[in-house]
Amino acid sequence: MSPVCSFIRRPSGRSLFFLLVFPLFFLIGPSFLRAADGATITYRRVFKGSNPEFIEIKIGENDSASYDIRQLSDDPDAQPFEVGGAVRAKIFELAGELHNFEGADLDIHRRIADLGEKTFRYEKNGQVHETHYNYTLNRSASQLALVFEGLVQQQHDLMNLQQKLRYDRLGVNDALHQFENDLAQHTLPEPERLLPVLDRIAADSRLVEVARQLARALAERLRTTPPQENAAPQAGNPHP
């Protein structure tokens, strides 16, 4: 068979399927990918004059998560981070109790101090539900906000320790005490995520020994105490 005849010969069954079906991915691919995506729940708090003034946490069903913690004058800078399955499930469970914010009116509608505008947002396959409030008496909404605020504090403690370790070694001890206080108050959903930086501090001979000892003690506590006794009750643990 000549090269030309070989080139134009009838395609096999597999080749014919590929030629017919593959182009369809260019047409339906984006919508197919969107359909495959899970839901995303966003928590945003804007409180001018506080520190930070702006926080936004996004949690996806597909294991994605991002945070943006900054002052309002700063540029947006969302960064990915990890959230465990138990905390993720609790977030979607509480959102489900609020019907994924569809038609939700959470604010008490009374004249009280400005506590910052909070926003819950649910997105899935183009469906969007969003609600805003200053203060709420709704139990599920309060618990959901506390889970998100715990993630914010946890990420703040992590970033604080990392920055002090890199730029201000004398400030590491104060950052460790801040983390210790948050740990004692059970405000952090997954404090064990700070273990790597605690281990780095404990092993860093450039740091004062008192900071290294505290890092060792905190790491030991996280490793030997059952997670439910360290983590925040809002993440689904039975603390009073």
Side-chain angles (χ1 to χ4, degrees), residues 31-108:
S31 60
F32 175 81
L33 291 175
R34 283 194 297 271
D37 287 343
T40 298
I41 293 177
T42 300
Y43 172 73
R44 185 186 306 118
R45 172 167 57 80
V46 180
F47 193 1
K48 191 172 183 180
S50 65
N51 188 18
E53 293 179 315
F54 179 93
I55 63 172
E56 184 176 80
I57 302 286
K58 292 188 176 184
I59 305 295
E61 279 185 317
N62 58 356
D63 295 336
S64 64
S66 67
Y67 69 90
D68 190 1
I69 304 172
R70 57 184 168 85
Q71 297 303 103
L72 288 170
S73 58
D74 296 335
D75 294 331
D77 187 26
Q79 298 290 326
F81 76 122
E82 295 183 358
V83 176
V87 175
R88 194 183 302 271
K90 188 63 178 179
I91 287 171
F92 278 89
E93 175 190 333
L94 290 168
E97 292 176 6
L98 296 165
H99 307 289
N100 295 325
F101 321 126
E102 183 175 7
D105 184 6
L106 301 176
D107 199 275
I108 61 171

Side-chain angles (χ1 to χ4, degrees), residues 14 20 26 30 33 36 43 45-48 66-67 95 128 130 132-133 141 174 200-203 209 216 225 234 239:
R14 174 183 291 184
L20 292 175
F26 291 96
L33 291 175
Y43 172 73
R45 172 167 57 80
V46 180
F47 193 1
K48 191 172 183 180
S66 67
Y67 69 90
V128 177
E130 186 172 287
H132 312 271
Y133 69 95
D174 288 339
R200 286 170 54 197
I201 292 170
E209 184 59 26
R216 291 189 198 103
T225 305
Q234 293 82 17
H239 284 288

Side-chain angles (χ1 to χ4, degrees), residues 90 94 97-98 136-146:
K90 188 63 178 179
L94 290 168
E97 292 176 6
L98 296 165
T136 186
L137 296 176
N138 184 287
R139 180 178 178 275
S140 296
S142 296
Q143 285 192 330
L144 183 56
L146 286 172

Side-chain angles (χ1 to χ4, degrees), residues 4 55 59 69 97 100 106 122 124 155 162 176 192 215:
V4 173
I55 63 172
I59 305 295
I69 304 172
E97 292 176 6
N100 295 325
L106 301 176
Y122 176 91
K124 184 173 183 180
Q155 196 62 29
Q162 291 172 334
L176 286 168
E192 65 275 8

